[in-house]
């Protein structure tokens, strides 16, 4: 794994060939927010399954009542907090800041490097799998937040003088992701959000308790993936996701914006771009044909992605339509990705090192040959013998 020496902002410029026409993304066009106002997106069959009192689960494996009951339970705290104050929180794309007031004076601090180390230590205790720090780059802040209640832009919750973003990676459950597509597999997303919510808010409260300002953020306020790349947590993949060296693409991202003086991290590379150039497993595996087979493009497939930036972009309209038809979220592009491995195993740590070398095509063949990424029968997940 290489640490990039150029400034993080400059690195992102080069990585995505960001043009002068680049415009910040308006949260109104996020596919979930679009489903609130755009008649061409019909989300009913998707959202209804989150209300277990009215939903009639199917008979097929992975989509039975037990599966939806657990999936919805994995979202429960996130949904409960999201709905506790409907004037403030309008669903999972909105603010989730929950802090109480801190002391009137700021604590005396050690050097920024030491502060960053303590922040990362605290984040790990609160449930983070990885933590990185970057300066807030306004290109990733939404041009407008969106209010689902009014259908209009909503004021930002972010004080302008905050300088840093702490990016938190929450791993998703490996065994559950093997069962995707299934309702039970969707629990890995739900519990990922719920853990992120607890971790980001706990960390924001920790900083508040030191006398500094902190704002916890999930899907609101800013695009998480470029911030995570800037903070040295991973690379960008063909599947439109962050690929981390510790969990591959099997992650959820949250962030804490703060004025606490911190030392920032440098971006990293470990061969993902080159590997994705040889691999098409996510694009081949996507039932909605929503993932590019070709090269990175600078024109988005539709208004749910931003323009002026050259990258592989998932067609959010096709992707979401598949979710709606299936009555649950999909992450086949996570399940099949060769980076989706259990890196507690030494052989997988070796493989990820070798994937950054001329051996990548051989590794890809080996990955297919060994049957990695194949779907596991969802009912097997319920078997206690499989609990590791
Ligand atoms: S989540 Fe599913 S439908 Fe969407 S891009 Fe990934 S594989 Fe395709
Ligand atoms: S499946 Fe292959 S092409 Fe897709 S993100 Fe993973 S490594 Fe890249």
């Amino acid at each position: 794994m290489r640490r990039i020496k150029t400034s993080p902002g400059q690195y992102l410029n080069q990585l995505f060939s960001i043009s002068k026409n680049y415009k910040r993304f308006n949260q109104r066009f996020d596919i979930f927010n679009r489903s609130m106002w755009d008649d061409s997106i019909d989300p009913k069959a998707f959202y209804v399954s989150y209300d277990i009192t009215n939903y009639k689960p199917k008979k097929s494996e992975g989509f039975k009542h037990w599966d939806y009951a657990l999936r919805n339970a994995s979202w429960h705290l996130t949904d409960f907090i999201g709905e506790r104050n409907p004037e403030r929180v309008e669903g999972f794309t909105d603010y989730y800041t929950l802090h109480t007031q801190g002391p009137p004076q700021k604590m005396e601090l050690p050097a920024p490097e030491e502060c960053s180390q303590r922040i990362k230590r605290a984040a790990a205790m609160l449930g983070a799998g990885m933590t990185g720090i970057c300066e807030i780059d306004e290109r990733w802040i939404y041009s407008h937040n969106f209010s689902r209640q009014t259908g209009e832009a909503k004021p930002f919750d972010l004080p302008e003088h905050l300088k840093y973003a702490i990016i938190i990676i929450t791993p998703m459950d490996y065994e559950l992701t093997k069962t995707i597509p299934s309702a039970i597999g969707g629990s890995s997303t739900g519990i990922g959000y719920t853990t992120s919510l607890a971790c980001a808010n706990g960390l924001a409260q920790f900083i508040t308790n030191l006398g500094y300002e902190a704002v916890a953020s999930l899907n609101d306020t800013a695009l998480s993936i470029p911030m995570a790349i800037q903070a040295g947590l991973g690379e960008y993949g063909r599947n439109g996701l962050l690929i981390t060296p510790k969990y591959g693409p099997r992650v959820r991202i949250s962030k804490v914006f703060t004025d606490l003086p911190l030392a920032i991290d440098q971006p990293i590379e470990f061969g993902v771009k080159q590997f994705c150039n040889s691999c098409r497993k996510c694009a081949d595996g996507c039932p909605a044909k929503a993932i590019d087979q070709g090269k990175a493009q600078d024109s988005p497939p539709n208004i749910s992605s931003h323009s002026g930036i050259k990258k592989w972009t998932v067609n959010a309209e096709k992707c979401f339509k598949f979710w709606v038809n299936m009555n649950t979220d999909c992450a086949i592009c996570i399940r099949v990705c060769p980076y989706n491995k259990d890196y507690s195993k030494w052989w997988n740590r070796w493989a990820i090192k070798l994937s950054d070398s001329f051996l990548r095509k051989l590794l890809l063949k080996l990955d297919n040959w060994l049957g990695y990424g194949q779907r596991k029968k969802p009912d097997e997940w319920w078997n206690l013998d499989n609990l590791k």
Side-chain angles (χ1 to χ4, degrees):
M1 191 173 75
R2 301 172 293 285
R3 285 265 167 206
I4 302 300
K5 295 218 170 70
T6 34
S7 83
Q10 191 59 30
Y11 173 70
L12 272 276
N13 266 344
Q14 290 160 4
L15 182 69
F16 292 127
S17 309
I18 299 173
S19 81
K20 290 200 178 98
N21 302 329
Y22 173 81
K23 287 200 180 72
R24 283 155 58 190
F25 188 65
N26 185 338
Q27 198 195 17
R28 177 184 180 79
F29 298 112
D30 169 295
I31 195 76
F32 299 102
N33 285 332
R34 263 180 82 192
S35 73
M36 301 288 141
W37 57 266
D38 185 337
D39 291 342
S40 69
I41 315 280
D42 180 3
K44 275 192 269 348
F46 177 68
Y47 291 126
V48 79
S49 70
Y50 288 86
D51 175 6
I52 203 80
T53 54
N54 287 318
Y55 185 61
K56 287 194 181 56
K58 303 166 198 167
K59 293 209 169 88
S60 47
E61 200 175 311
F63 294 88
K64 297 175 195 163
H65 193 95
W66 277 75
D67 304 305
Y68 280 101
L70 184 59
R71 186 205 64 178
N72 291 4
S74 73
W75 279 97
H76 174 63
L77 273 183
T78 307
D79 290 342
F80 183 75
I81 291 165
E83 284 153 19
R84 90 200 190 288
N85 182 354
E87 281 177 16
R88 177 165 165 75
V89 185
E90 305 174 27
F92 84 115
T93 59
D94 203 3
Y95 311 128
Y96 270 92
T97 37
L98 300 166
H99 334 136
T100 57
Q101 222 179 334
Q105 315 86 3
K106 290 180 173 7
M107 282 276 300
E108 227 173 88
L109 297 174
E113 289 73 18
E114 172 75 17
C115 275
S116 289
Q117 205 178 308
R118 288 180 178 221
I119 286 293
K120 290 178 185 179
R121 187 70 191 89
M125 185 281 282
L126 291 162
M130 295 169 78
T131 311
I133 297 167
C134 62
E135 287 188 356
I136 296 177
D137 183 331
E138 90 161 7
R139 291 176 297 183
W140 318 128
I141 306 284
Y142 295 136
S143 65
H144 301 82
N145 274 333
F146 177 70
S147 165
R148 292 184 176 192
Q149 279 175 355
T150 64
E152 301 296 331
K154 180 171 175 162
F156 276 102
D157 212 19
L158 191 65
E160 279 188 8
H161 60 274
L162 303 190
K163 190 172 174 197
Y164 298 102
I166 303 160
I167 314 298
I168 298 163
I169 297 298
T170 308
M172 293 162 71
D173 186 287
Y174 183 46
E175 296 302 318
L176 275 173
T177 56
K178 288 181 186 169
T179 71
I180 289 168
S182 66
I184 185 71
S187 308
S188 62
T189 312
I191 200 63
Y193 267 98
T194 301
T195 311
S196 298
L197 173 75
C199 182
N201 274 286
L203 195 66
Q205 187 62 48
F206 170 52
I207 295 169
T208 308
N209 292 349
L210 297 173
Y212 288 80
E213 282 183 73
V215 176
S217 164
L218 297 187
N219 286 338
D220 55 282
T221 309
L223 298 166
S224 297
I225 293 176
M227 298 187 98
I229 296 172
Q230 216 154 316
L233 293 168
E235 286 191 65
Y236 188 75
R238 180 184 292 280
N239 54 9
L241 299 171
L242 178 76
I243 311 261
T244 66
K246 205 169 166 188
Y247 309 103
R250 203 178 63 250
V251 298
R252 295 284 132 187
I253 311 170
S254 56
K255 41 214 184 286
V256 174
F257 302 108
T258 183
D259 62 351
L260 185 75
L262 294 167
I264 60 166
D265 292 293
Q266 287 297 118
I268 54 170
E269 283 183 350
F270 52 104
V272 172
K273 193 174 174 184
Q274 294 81 348
F275 200 91
C276 288
N277 279 332
S278 303
C279 174
R280 300 283 185 282
K281 285 189 86 168
C282 53
D284 292 341
C286 174
K289 301 282 165 248
I291 300 177
D292 265 333
Q293 290 274 358
K295 291 186 176 159
Q297 304 283 338
D298 51 12
S299 49
N302 52 59
I303 55 171
S304 280
S305 304
H306 51 350
S307 51
I309 174 165
K310 193 169 181 183
K311 63 186 184 69
W312 286 302
T313 301
V314 168
N315 185 322
E317 289 178 2
K318 289 185 181 175
C319 171
F320 189 58
K321 197 169 178 191
F322 180 70
W323 293 23
V324 173
N325 289 340
M326 212 176 41
N327 300 170
T328 193
D329 54 318
C330 163
I332 294 172
C333 48
I334 290 181
R335 189 195 85 212
V336 301
C337 178
Y339 286 103
N340 177 30
K341 294 275 177 0
D342 174 0
Y343 290 105
S344 67
K345 306 276 190 285
W346 65 264
W347 53 90
N348 289 330
R349 292 199 296 277
W350 267 104
I352 201 171
K353 276 188 189 146
L354 295 176
S355 70
D356 191 12
S357 74
F358 68 96
L359 292 173
R360 64 179 66 92
K361 284 195 177 157
L362 183 67
L363 276 168
L364 188 52
K365 277 196 181 145
L366 205 58
D367 198 79
N368 292 329
W369 188 65
L370 293 172
Y372 278 110
Q374 281 178 8
R375 185 176 185 238
K376 187 172 169 176
K377 281 167 84 68
D379 278 355
E380 282 177 27
W381 185 84
W382 289 102
N383 187 343
L384 205 52
D385 294 342
N386 291 332
L387 191 62
K388 291 191 184 129

